Amino acid sequence: MVSHSGLITVMQKAARKAAPRMRRDFNEVELLQVSRKGPADFVSMADRQAEKTIVEELRRARPDWALTLEEGGQIEGDPDKPRFIVDPLDGTTNFLHGIPHFSISIAVEDPRGAQGKPEITQALVYQPLTDESFWAEKGRGTWLNERRLRVSGRRNLDEALIATGVPYLGHGDSERFQKVLAAVGPEVAGIRRYGSAALDLAWVAAGRYDGFWEEDLQYWDVAAGILLVREAGGFVTDFRGAEGGLAKGQVLAASSEIHSKLHRLVAKALRA
């Protein structure tokens, strides 16, 4: 058995408690109650119920910790204690269309990390349909259930499978995206857009994808995935190559060899 902290156990328990209802709703997707949250941005009753279940479990275990929630906003806690960052259903549009690619994302942010700045110290991305639990702890690596993960060992772009996110109604800059796509597409073995940034980053950590880029992301979309990639030996920056710029919603993630080459393509395209 792989040894991990009690905090990972808490996070996995919360995700797995929300999963059965989510799987049940997914199998009856046509019966879901859905409300409009914005242009092409839907939130389902399944999303709300999953968040409620996860919050109850996390607060039972750590009642004085704050939470940042996709649907519920902020729940205040002791400012000197860590906070949970929760996306209860990353890939909502997939879920609502019966596409089996979505995830639960939970991260822990310590307010007193390296150099006294907040940093992610624990991460979980859970796929309810496959029971795949991608988790990481700072300094202890990334794991898929009980198997240690490493990013892809491929070194050349012409062998690399790259994931991305495509702008859609009300989200993103299509012109910028087309510039990057035109630069990256001819250089790589393939590009995929599956619709869950958290799961995409987990797949980079697992070596299924060789790299990933996307912008216009929210913190809860990527907080857990960033740690998964880094603890699996990968690099995560913004499009300028800076680690401190991730708050802008840009993510470029890959192994060291692929990251440097992908970064050059993206940066050059956006300078043109």
Side-chain angles (χ1 to χ4, degrees):
M1 293 288 290
V2 177
S3 174
H4 54 63
S5 72
L7 194 48
I8 293 292
T9 301
V10 166
M11 295 157 67
Q12 289 180 332
K13 182 179 179 182
R16 285 195 164 104
K17 187 163 185 180
R21 169 72 180 268
M22 192 176 289
R23 288 192 291 267
R24 195 162 57 245
D25 286 341
F26 180 74
N27 290 329
E28 299 178 5
V29 67
E30 72 277 7
L31 302 178
L32 286 176
Q33 301 176 51
V34 182
S35 61
R36 286 298 289 268
K37 190 171 62 172
D41 191 2
F42 301 98
V43 57
S44 68
M45 290 300 295
D47 204 332
R48 298 177 191 274
Q49 184 59 45
E51 185 172 274
K52 179 175 181 291
T53 300
I54 291 166
V55 168
E56 287 173 354
E57 286 298 312
L58 296 179
R59 287 190 67 78
R60 182 177 293 116
R62 300 292 190 274
D64 54 348
W65 287 19
L67 293 98
T68 296
L69 311 168
E70 182 191 14
E71 303 301 338
Q74 299 284 338
I75 295 177
E76 297 302 323
D78 186 335
D80 294 324
K81 298 285 183 67
R83 65 168 170 151
F84 291 109
I85 302 164
V86 179
D87 188 344
L89 179 50
D90 186 59
T92 307
T93 301
N94 283 347
F95 185 94
L96 293 177
H97 286 80
I99 298 171
H101 191 83
F102 53 87
S103 59
I104 295 169
S105 176
I106 306 173
V108 172
E109 182 185 74
D110 188 336
R112 297 175 178 174
Q115 289 113 25
K117 298 179 180 178
E119 69 173 341
I120 302 300
T121 54
Q122 280 87 13
L124 172 73
V125 173
Y126 180 70
Q127 219 294 22
L129 298 181
T130 62
D131 194 37
E132 289 182 308
S133 176
F134 300 88
W135 60 272
E137 297 194 83
K138 190 174 187 300
R140 300 187 65 186
T142 298
W143 303 78
L144 169 52
N145 297 331
E146 297 185 4
R147 178 168 61 88
R148 183 74 180 263
L149 296 179
R150 296 292 297 178
V151 293
S152 165
R154 294 184 183 88
R155 303 170 65 88
N156 301 316
L157 283 176
D158 61 4
E159 300 173 332
L161 182 63
I162 308 297
T164 190
V166 179
Y168 57 98
L169 180 62
H171 294 263
D173 186 324
S174 293
E175 184 176 346
R176 276 172 58 87
F177 174 77
Q178 290 298 332
K179 287 182 179 180
V180 177
L181 183 64
V184 175
E187 303 295 329
V188 300
I191 295 177
R192 300 290 183 268
R193 199 281 191 185
Y194 281 175
S196 170
L199 205 49
D200 287 342
L201 287 166
W203 283 18
V204 172
R208 298 176 184 176
Y209 290 141
D210 300 292
F212 168 78
W213 93 88
E214 189 172 355
E215 60 182 332
D216 199 36
L217 292 163
Q218 300 296 325
Y219 193 38
W220 50 74
D221 295 327
V222 298
I226 287 172
L227 184 64
L228 293 178
V229 173
R230 287 177 172 162
E231 285 295 314
F235 285 76
V236 186
T237 68
D238 65 11
F239 290 177
R240 298 170 66 91
E243 292 188 7
L246 294 171
K248 294 184 296 186
Q250 295 177 346
V251 172
L252 182 63
S255 65
S256 60
E257 288 285 338
I258 296 298
H259 186 280
S260 61
K261 295 171 182 177
L262 187 60
H263 171 246
R264 282 196 293 270
L265 290 175
V266 172
K268 183 178 180 181
L270 293 178
R271 286 197 301 269

